[in-house]
Amino acid sequence: MNVIETILPGVVIIEPKVFGDDRGFFLETYQKDRYRELAGIELDFVQDNHSRSAKGVLRGLHFQKTRPQGKLVRVVTGEVFDVAVDINPESPTYGEYAASILSDKNKHQFWVPPGYAHGFAVLSEFADFEYKCTDYYDPSDEGSLIWNDLDVGIDWPLDDPLLSDKDKNAPTLKQLRDLRL
């Protein structure tokens, strides 16, 4: 497998080794020792999730406030634009983001360590999105960052996404910082 570092500490793109022929393909989507050694994933996973979203849906940017989750994400069917944002005001990369196209064709994975906001936008007719989490989801602990915060400046490949009410009304990075003071 090939691991590509991004501008955010610990956030990496993983290109797994794919073995294929005219019958189909095989790849490992996770192997604890290899992912620890090559991608730096030291945490154990406790929950796997699978979502399906239609074209134009944008989910995010989400995080958990007191029990942050690391997420190893991939697309089983379709294509998404996947994003991690550094929301730690003490970090030298605060307010910066890393992004990757994940698809069933490229089979890439995106490792988003605990402490980052995460979201994705669906580019294909629909996308099946799977992710392994390092902590349990707790809806009472969830936070959000507005998807189009000008201070972050994510170059989303869509202009008018389909959003949940929660995501439409999420705070900006500055508002999040002010809430923590």
Side-chain angles (χ1 to χ4, degrees):
M1 80 182 191
N2 185 35
V3 177
I4 301 164
E5 293 185 12
T6 69
I7 64 165
L8 299 181
V11 176
V12 296
I13 299 163
I14 300 168
E15 298 175 336
K17 188 175 276 194
V18 180
F19 302 92
D21 58 27
D22 58 351
R23 300 169 300 156
F25 70 88
F26 170 85
L27 71 130
E28 281 184 349
T29 60
Y30 177 71
Q31 200 270 10
K32 184 175 182 174
D33 292 340
R34 185 173 299 113
Y35 277 60
R36 177 171 288 172
E37 176 187 341
L38 299 176
I41 300 173
E42 300 281 336
L43 302 168
D44 290 326
F45 295 105
V46 299
Q47 180 175 325
D48 283 5
N49 299 321
H50 181 147
S51 72
R52 173 173 280 186
S53 302
K55 184 175 189 164
V57 168
L58 191 151
R59 296 188 185 272
L61 299 153
H62 302 149
F63 58 92
Q64 290 204 163
K65 299 171 193 169
T66 61
R67 294 181 55 192
Q69 296 175 305
K71 296 176 182 175
L72 179 62
V73 303
R74 70 190 191 100
V75 169
V76 178
T77 306
E79 182 178 68
V80 306
F81 179 77
D82 201 73
V83 177
V85 178
D86 188 342
I87 58 170
N88 178 359
E90 307 301 316
S91 170
T93 55
Y94 174 66
E96 295 184 36
Y97 74 95
S100 182
I101 298 288
L102 307 178
S103 73
D104 58 352
K105 303 232 181 329
N106 69 24
K107 298 173 181 43
H108 292 180
Q109 296 172 296
F110 201 46
W111 167 239
V112 182
Y116 289 94
H118 172 259
F120 65 92
V122 179
L123 306 177
S124 52
E125 287 307 309
F126 70 92
D128 283 325
F129 189 83
E130 291 188 343
Y131 49 111
K132 304 178 86 51
C133 300
T134 62
D135 206 338
Y136 299 103
Y137 172 68
D138 178 358
S140 69
D141 196 40
E142 187 172 55
S144 295
L145 169 67
I146 190 75
W147 69 280
N148 59 352
D149 187 328
L150 296 177
D151 289 335
V152 178
I154 298 170
D155 188 15
W156 294 100
L158 64 163
D159 295 321
D160 190 23
L162 301 170
L163 299 162
S164 69
D165 287 340
K166 174 182 68 177
D167 292 342
K168 284 179 190 174
N169 298 307
T172 65
L173 194 63
K174 181 180 180 334
Q175 290 168 328
L176 284 175
R177 186 180 61 233
D178 292 346
L179 288 172
R180 290 181 177 155
L181 298 177

